[in-house]
Amino acid sequence: MAQAQELGTLAQQTADRLAEQGVGAVVAVVAHDVVEIRGAGRTGADHGRTGADHGRTGADHGRTAPGPDTLFEIGSVTKTFTALALARMATAGAVALDEPLGDLLPAGTHVPSRDGRQISLQHLATHTSGLSRLPRGMMLRFLLHPSTPDPYAGCTADALLSGLSRTRLGAVPGKRFRYSNLGAGLLGLALARRAGTDYETLITREICAPLDMSDTVVTVDGPRSERSAQGHNRRGRPTTPWNLADLAGAGALRSTATDLVAFVQAQLDPAPVPAELAEAIRLSRSVEHRTSPFARVHLGWMAHRLHARQGGHLQIWHNGGTGGFSSFVGFDPEKQVAVIALGNTTRPVDRPAFDLLRTLQAGQASRAS
């Protein structure tokens, strides 16, 4: 009980810190089998209410704090789901990690190569494909019109594949880490094509259903829309939702703290997870590309080990950001702790989340000693 109270206090303090910097936030902490979730600030969403709703007006509802089941855009945390879907399909024999991307795309699609090396699915999941960060032509549009609402809406399969045919690789595939939204989006598109379905259905079938994650979706409608936070820019002004079209694998998912706790618990201890998914989780972390003596990238996840003066702890993580939201998921499988932070502004949640993760790691180390 004392540990739960301590974790709850830490989560609330971090949520309060994030809400002071932005609009609203939800923070979840996991330590072994103890989970605490706290919210602060406001959802900012009235969902068109004009009358009373359980004793609150629509405007009052927008001022309530987000909670465990409030939906947020999670941005690039989506990439960890896309990469796990790759691992799941690889362990099932539906794809191979070293399979060329071109094998999963429509016949006649030109996929760039360099020095005779083709882009593989593993290259896409580890950001070593040599592809640019954004689809062709998008960087210029971002520079000229940085406040364009829903900037990825035009990323249809036709547009992506047409741009791909005119793209030159910045490095030989497999040689250098180069973070790429384009690569992750193409991976999601390719996997969905191989599975004969759409990206959202693929993620639901391969990951969310086995983990009982019912609120991790691309399309928010019905009752979920009533639980969705409103996104805001850095100035606290409401923003429009992002639709990533066929680049969905790069950042289109919405989720809740409750669902992401289930996701990270499976990462901490795959043993209770259905065998097929547990095997995929282990595969996703066994693959790695070193980016420095202390850092590496797995299938979908970033990882580094802190300096000995900081405790020498392992941190595996990914963050995300869209036009109105920010997110962070990080964990340490050695200490069995994790942190999830979700905010409904574009202000990054990373620093307070990393601080909290280090606090948890230090606390578990002291208990072990």
Side-chain angles (χ1 to χ4, degrees), residues 78-79 82 101 105 124-125 127 131 133 135 155 157 160-161 180-192 199 244-252:
T78 299
K79 292 179 175 68
T82 304
L101 169 62
L105 298 179
L124 297 173
H127 299 281
L131 287 167
R133 185 181 186 94
C155 292
L160 291 172
L161 298 183
S180 177
N181 286 323
L182 172 59
L186 287 170
L187 178 59
L189 175 64
L191 294 176
Y199 177 78
L244 275 73
D246 289 314
L247 202 72

Side-chain angles (χ1 to χ4, degrees), residues 103 112 122 168 216 222 250 338 354 364:
D103 288 0
Q122 179 172 318
R168 297 182 63 183
T216 300
F354 269 123
Q364 293 301 309

Side-chain angles (χ1 to χ4, degrees), residues 26-51:
V26 173
V27 173
V29 296
V30 179
H32 296 277
D33 57 351
V34 178
V35 176
E36 294 292 326
I37 303 175
R38 298 289 187 274
R42 56 190 175 87
T43 64
D46 61 26
H47 302 295
R49 290 177 175 83
T50 57

Side-chain angles (χ1 to χ4, degrees), residues 108-338:
T109 301
H110 174 73
V111 179
S113 60
R114 183 162 171 173
D115 292 356
R117 189 80 179 270
Q118 298 185 73
I119 297 172
S120 73
L121 303 183
Q122 179 172 318
H123 295 149
L124 297 173
T126 56
H127 299 281
T128 57
S129 66
L131 287 167
S132 57
R133 185 181 186 94
L134 296 173
R136 185 176 176 86
M138 282 199 69
M139 181 59 76
L140 179 59
R141 290 199 296 274
F142 266 119
L143 292 174
L144 295 177
H145 307 286
S147 299
T148 299
D150 203 5
Y152 291 93
C155 292
T156 63
D158 287 345
L160 291 172
L161 298 183
S162 174
L164 181 65
S165 68
R166 294 175 283 115
T167 296
R168 297 182 63 183
L169 299 184
V172 175
K175 292 295 185 181
R176 181 161 61 91
F177 175 85
R178 189 186 193 194
Y179 191 85
S180 177
N181 286 323
L182 172 59
L186 287 170
L187 178 59
L189 175 64
L191 294 176
R193 281 185 53 83
R194 175 60 60 85
T197 187
D198 59 88
Y199 177 78
E200 183 173 26
T201 301
L202 175 68
I203 297 302
T204 298
R205 184 179 71 199
E206 300 295 344
I207 301 170
C208 297
L211 296 179
D212 197 24
M213 297 168 57
S214 60
D215 281 329
T216 300
V217 295
V218 172
T219 306
V220 175
D221 51 19
R224 290 193 190 95
S225 64
E226 299 294 306
R227 294 188 282 111
S228 296
Q230 167 67 55
H232 299 80
N233 63 20
R234 281 181 172 269
R235 297 181 179 180
R237 296 174 180 171
T239 59
T240 57
W242 271 17
N243 164 35
L244 275 73
D246 289 314
L247 202 72
L253 288 177
R254 279 82 168 163
S255 192
T256 66
T258 297
D259 268 17
L260 291 173
V261 164
F263 185 60
V264 81
Q265 284 178 318
Q267 297 287 334
L268 289 173
D269 182 11
V273 174
E276 299 83 358
L277 188 55
E279 184 182 2
I281 290 171
R282 288 189 284 269
L283 174 62
S284 69
R285 297 239 294 277
S286 68
V287 174
E288 64 177 44
H289 175 86
R290 289 277 176 178
T291 57
S292 80
F294 302 101
R296 58 189 182 273
V297 58
H298 298 292
L299 294 181
W301 293 102
M302 310 299 172
H304 59 253
R305 190 170 289 280
L306 299 175
H307 192 278
R309 290 195 298 268
Q310 298 173 305
H313 303 303
L314 173 64
Q315 296 183 332
I316 302 175
W317 60 278
H318 211 298
N319 59 0
T322 63
F325 295 85
S326 54
S327 58
F328 174 92
V329 176
F331 61 96
D332 177 352
E334 297 172 350
K335 300 298 180 203
Q336 289 287 290
V337 296

